[in-house]
Amino acid sequence: MNHSSFHKSGALLALPAALSFGVVLAPAAAAQSVISTDQFTTVDLAHYTAGPVSITAGTTLSPARGPAVLGSGTEWTLTNAGDVTASTGIQLNAGGSVTNSGTISASAYGVLVQGGPGSVANTGLITAGWDGVSLNGGGGVTNSGSIHGGHIGVYTGNGGGTVSNSGTITASEGDAVSLYGGGSFTNTATGHLTAGYSGVYAGVNGSAIQNAGAITGTHFAVYLTGADTLTNTGSLTGGIDGVIDIAPGGVVENSGVITGTVQGVRLGRNATLVNSGILSGGLLGANLGRGSTLTNSGDISGEVGILAAGGVTILDTGTIATTQPGGDAIGLTGAGDTITLDTGALISGAIEDSGPGGALALNGTGALNSTVTGLATADLAPGADWTLSGNWHVGTLLNNGSLQVGLIGTPLNLTGNYIQGSAATILVAVSPQGSTQFNITGSAQLAGNLVYMLAPGTYEPKTENFLTATNGITGAFSDVSTQAWAGLDAGQNNLSLISASSQVNWQVLRSFTVAPRDAALFADANQAQATSAEQLSDSLLTHAAGSASPCQAPIHAGDSGPAGLAAALASGLCAAGGWVEATGSATTVDGAYNTTGGGFLAGLDRTVNASGTRLGLAVGYDTTALTDRQGGASNTNTVRLALYGAQPIGPLVLSGDIMGGLATANSARATGIGAATAHANGTVLSGAAQLAWPLTFGATTLTPQLGVEAANIRMGSFSESAPLTAFALHANASGGTGVEPFLRLSISRPFVTVSQLTVTPQLSLGLVDALGNPGSAVTATADGDSFTAAAPRLDGLAGQASIGLTVSRGRWSLAARYSAQVAGNWSAQSAQAELQVAF
């Protein structure tokens, strides 16, 4: 069906159909503005006052033929809260406005306005066999109710239309909304459109469509015919295409979801598509006309992700993928197309140019492991850092940045010529089993730098080529260097370069071993986890004395999983009269790593006998993020369960706690050639015991404290994933124990303000001695070799200081505490804040 003729026929039918009805007018009535009695013949508004006319709730208008309400000669304003049933519900022949909160049901038109602009505001129900609302002279519709048409839901005719929808608009055969004369349409997040042809149709240049809701069309979700603008943050679903624009100059901005059974988006010449959402088509994700521009930071997919017709500019920092095995992520069919890939770009599928002159530019960092055919040039920009592999048919590959050629076992095969600039670098990954390969069917012009990236393992004497060029090699590398992280003496000539007329070889001259980079990351993470556990156990000692007030507050730490379970249990303890505190921590180990962390700890305790014995149960959840000096990172999430208590012994108070935790750790280790990632599970057990002697001097309390803290960490074995398998490690199970005796002196004194607030500052000073190193060595294997790396040894003697403030009045109290430990090569800080309300 020709869509234009479809809408023209609708427009032509509107006026004759309306005039063909036999109209029986209601008898003349006294001038009035309210229709409150049932009518069974057409109501002629000429018999009513010129001001607004209203149909009251409970009133029925149901003529046997003709419109239920007819307004001619002037622009009428009508409000309906009743029940209108007729061939045409409301017909205004000289423009006007209708506000409907009732029901309008018609076999032809629900609301028909002609002879001038119309305005319809609907919060009720309008349903019709032809058009739900037909504004033949243009105008505006605001809908938060329901509008249905057998032909068109809302039609704005040959005049410009403005439609705003937060309800439901549907059409059985045609368009849910037809801006036949152009205009604007806004669909809010609660708005829904369903159509038998197009969800929204825009008939002329300059139309503007904004969608935050859901639009579905049996053929198209949005049909544009000019230089129109579509902004989508919601959902567009088309039975053929999600969005189609048959004219030049259209602009589509998508941060929502657009899907089509055939094409996600189809645009004409010189169009603009900006996608940060999801765009997919069964055949084509995006079909771009000649001279168009695409900027993608989202996801685009189809059997062909993008099809470009020539002179198209593509800038990608997102994902472009084919859903067809061996298919094209990007297909170029005309001349002069350009593709620019920047940091974040992920191309899944081939890039194929069947027209002459296409160009690929690589900026930022990334990896392109695809088949590339037909391009005239591919250019790594200065400062760019890319890994390229697969089969490339490109006229010239020009490297002005940093290029890693191939993967070990997956070479970069170039049919074309290679030129390396004087400031560029080519990276060759080398393992004891072999290296990445660069095979050139063409010529190679060399300059700049060559860097060998050595994977961990033991290297034996051998010679292997990494670069071949069938048409010969000219030039030479100005600098050749080796990056290996340990075990290789840079002063020894262990690895050499041999150049020939058509190939470049690397040669191991004598045996040597290379250790993995940053293997200490895992031991550092263990040490940080143990330090965090000791801090929490120490914090729990303050609650064992029973000084905390109860609370009743919900706790949130995720909706599911261990974190959600801990939060649910903590909320239950809190609701039963327990306590809750927010926790935060930071640790710095000189020259090694930094950590930050936070979470919550909640508990419930009671005095259980006359001697003052106090027992409690606590739960918590916390996360610790670690970054080290080698560029590695680890994030550990821990769910904790603890028992704590206190026992008065004469003037002394003995308190203690034991806390167990389930830990999950995710790490990203810098290998020098991409990050190696891993996931591990483990347990942490910590505890503390303290003997305190509170001494009172007037309102001041001085408390000497002697105690010990301990923590044991056990992490299971794990295997890393890495871009190059040779750079990945397998780590064995690891763990360690730390013990810290401490001696502290605390002082506190309450003050009562004129507003009856009790303010209690606290100060504590002390010493702690680290007797163990909780980050014990971790053993990892690579290429059959074992490597052991340990966390730094923490200086034993550290000074401690803590300052706190509690403000209370009646049944509530607010407490905050800051603690710090400082030693020769490390420092740790922690903070707690509590809001407690007794019920």
Side-chain angles (χ1 to χ4, degrees):
M1 176 182 292
N2 182 283
H3 198 274
S4 297
S5 64
F6 177 86
H7 283 278
K8 288 178 181 177
S9 66
L12 294 174
L13 283 172
L15 185 58
L19 297 180
S20 66
F21 295 124
V23 177
V24 179
L25 302 178
Q32 58 182 329
S33 60
V34 177
I35 302 173
S36 57
T37 58
D38 296 346
Q39 303 286 333
F40 300 100
T41 56
T42 296
V43 174
D44 189 348
L45 295 181
H47 294 250
Y48 292 81
T49 57
V53 177
S54 62
I55 304 169
T56 61
T59 301
T60 298
L61 305 184
S62 182
R65 56 180 180 161
V69 178
L70 176 65
S72 301
T74 186
E75 292 187 7
W76 287 95
T77 300
L78 179 67
T79 300
N80 174 54
D83 186 358
V84 176
T85 304
S87 57
T88 292
I90 297 170
Q91 179 177 327
L92 304 180
N93 290 330
S97 65
V98 176
T99 301
N100 178 59
S101 59
T103 299
I104 300 173
S105 179
S107 58
Y109 295 91
V111 175
L112 172 64
V113 182
Q114 53 195 2
S119 174
V120 175
N122 177 56
T123 58
L125 171 64
I126 301 175
T127 180
W130 192 243
D131 293 352
V133 174
S134 183
L135 308 180
N136 286 345
V141 176
T142 301
N143 176 58
S144 58
S146 178
I147 299 175
H148 171 75
H151 175 220
I152 295 176
V154 173
Y155 174 68
T156 59
N158 293 313
T162 301
V163 180
S164 178
N165 177 58
S166 57
T168 301
I169 303 176
T170 59
S172 299
E173 298 178 359
D175 307 325
V177 174
S178 176
L179 304 174
Y180 190 73
S184 66
F185 171 71
T186 301
N187 195 41
T188 69
T190 59
H192 293 268
L193 269 63
T194 304
Y197 194 75
S198 298
V200 180
Y201 173 86
V204 299
N205 283 337
S207 297
I209 313 297
Q210 293 186 332
N211 175 57
I215 301 177
T216 301
T218 302
H219 288 70
F220 312 102
V222 177
Y223 192 126
L224 307 175
T225 63
D228 304 318
T229 300
L230 165 65
T231 302
N232 178 56
T233 59
S235 173
L236 302 176
T237 304
I240 298 176
D241 299 338
V243 176
I244 182 174
D245 191 346
I246 61 175
V251 177
V252 175
E253 297 183 4
N254 175 54
S255 57
V257 178
I258 301 177
T259 59
T261 302
V262 178
Q263 300 174 108
V265 171
R266 176 186 173 187
L267 299 179
R269 292 181 290 109
N270 302 320
T272 300
L273 173 60
V274 179
N275 179 59
S276 58
I278 297 173
L279 196 163
S280 65
L283 181 62
L284 300 175
N287 188 350
L288 305 177
R290 180 175 296 276
S292 295
T293 299
L294 165 65
T295 302
N296 177 54
S297 59
D299 295 335
I300 300 177
S301 64
E303 288 190 12
V304 175
I306 296 171
L307 183 65
V312 171
T313 300
I314 298 173
L315 172 60
D316 180 51
T317 56
T319 298
I320 303 173
T322 176
T323 58
Q324 183 78 12
D328 291 343
I330 301 176
L332 310 177
T333 61
D337 296 303
T338 61
I339 303 170
T340 300
L341 304 182
D342 212 325
T343 302
L346 177 60
I347 306 298
S348 178
I351 298 176
E352 182 176 2
D353 186 359
S354 59
L360 171 65
L362 300 171
N363 297 329
T365 62
L368 183 54
N369 307 319
S370 301
T371 297
V372 179
T373 59
L375 294 175
T377 61
D379 185 2
L380 270 76
D385 185 355
W386 280 76
T387 299
L388 306 181
S389 65
N391 298 315
W392 287 46
H393 294 258
V394 175
T396 301
L397 173 58
L398 177 61
N399 176 22
N400 285 309
S402 179
L403 169 63
Q404 178 190 320
V405 288
L407 306 173
I408 297 176
T410 306
L412 173 60
N413 299 315
L414 171 64
T415 300
N417 301 318
Y418 174 70
I419 299 175
Q420 180 162 318
S422 60
T425 298
I426 190 168
L427 302 175
V428 181
V430 182
S431 77
Q433 280 70 45
S435 71
T436 53
Q437 300 288 312
F438 189 14
N439 304 318
I440 303 170
T441 304
S443 63
Q445 180 179 319
L446 304 181
N449 307 309
L450 167 66
V451 178
Y452 292 114
M453 310 292 292
L454 302 188
T458 298
Y459 291 75
E460 301 295 342
K462 67 184 300 186
T463 299
E464 184 175 314
N465 72 71
F466 75 86
L467 185 152
T468 60
T470 57
N471 289 344
I473 297 174
T474 59
F477 298 113
S478 59
D479 182 72
V480 178
S481 60
T482 300
Q483 287 193 15
W485 312 113
L488 179 62
D489 187 348
Q492 294 180 353
N493 188 19
N494 295 312
L495 191 67
S496 68
L497 175 72
I498 302 174
S499 297
S501 60
S502 61
Q503 66 182 24
V504 180
N505 300 334
W506 56 271
Q507 183 179 41
V508 177
L509 300 177
R510 58 181 61 84
S511 298
F512 63 90
T513 299
V514 175
R517 181 185 183 187
D518 199 18
L521 172 67
F522 313 124
D524 291 346
N526 290 353
Q527 187 177 77
Q529 174 75 333
T531 300
S532 175
E534 289 173 346
Q535 291 172 345
L536 289 172
S537 286
D538 187 37
S539 173
L540 198 55
L541 288 176
T542 63
H543 295 284
S547 59
S549 301
C551 68
Q552 289 187 356
I555 301 175
H556 302 284
D559 297 327
S560 62
L565 181 61
L569 182 55
S571 293
L573 296 176
C574 199
W579 52 267
V580 62
E581 69 179 21
T583 63
S585 64
T587 302
T588 297
V589 178
D590 296 343
Y593 64 85
N594 294 326
T595 72
T596 57
F600 70 84
L601 195 62
L604 174 67
D605 51 65
R606 295 288 185 268
T607 300
V608 297
N609 56 33
S611 66
T613 302
R614 194 169 187 87
L615 297 177
L617 173 70
V619 295
Y621 173 79
D622 54 85
T623 181
T624 300
L626 178 149
T627 57
D628 68 13
R629 298 299 188 271
Q630 300 295 322
S634 177
N635 186 275
T636 305
N637 300 312
T638 309
V639 176
R640 304 184 192 272
L641 179 65
L643 297 173
Y644 64 96
Q647 176 64 55
I649 305 173
L652 306 178
V653 178
L654 177 63
S655 56
D657 62 73
I658 184 168
M659 181 182 300
L662 299 176
T664 59
N666 296 292
S667 62
R669 183 178 59 88
T671 67
I673 198 162
T677 59
H679 176 85
N681 297 312
T683 61
V684 57
L685 181 65
S686 62
Q690 172 184 279
L691 188 63
W693 187 9
L695 303 172
T696 302
F697 303 93
T700 301
T701 300
L702 189 67
T703 307
Q705 299 162 320
L706 176 64
V708 63
E709 302 163 357
N712 175 271
I713 179 77
R714 296 293 172 189
M715 298 300 294
S717 61
F718 59 88
S719 296
E720 290 183 314
S721 298
L724 294 180
T725 304
F727 287 77
L729 301 176
H730 173 80
N732 298 332
S734 61
T737 301
V739 178
E740 293 186 348
F742 64 85
L743 177 64
R744 286 196 288 259
L745 181 65
S746 301
I747 185 171
S748 64
R749 187 182 190 281
F751 299 89
V752 180
T753 69
V754 293
S755 57
Q756 299 305 303
L757 292 175
T758 301
V759 180
T760 307
Q762 305 100 24
L763 174 65
S764 176
L765 299 174
L767 293 173
V768 62
D769 189 13
L771 301 181
N773 197 33
S776 63
V778 176
T779 298
T781 58
D783 189 46
D785 294 311
S786 294
F787 303 92
T788 300
R793 177 72 189 188
L794 302 181
D795 288 348
L797 193 62
Q800 283 187 329
S802 174
I803 185 170
L805 185 69
T806 301
V807 180
S808 61
R809 180 177 178 178
R811 292 181 174 270
W812 66 267
S813 68
L814 177 65
R817 183 172 63 258
Y818 169 82
S819 302
Q821 296 184 80
V822 179
N825 69 339
W826 64 278
S827 63
Q829 305 173 70
S830 64
Q832 294 83 34
E834 301 176 50
L835 176 62
Q836 304 155 354
V837 182
F839 290 89

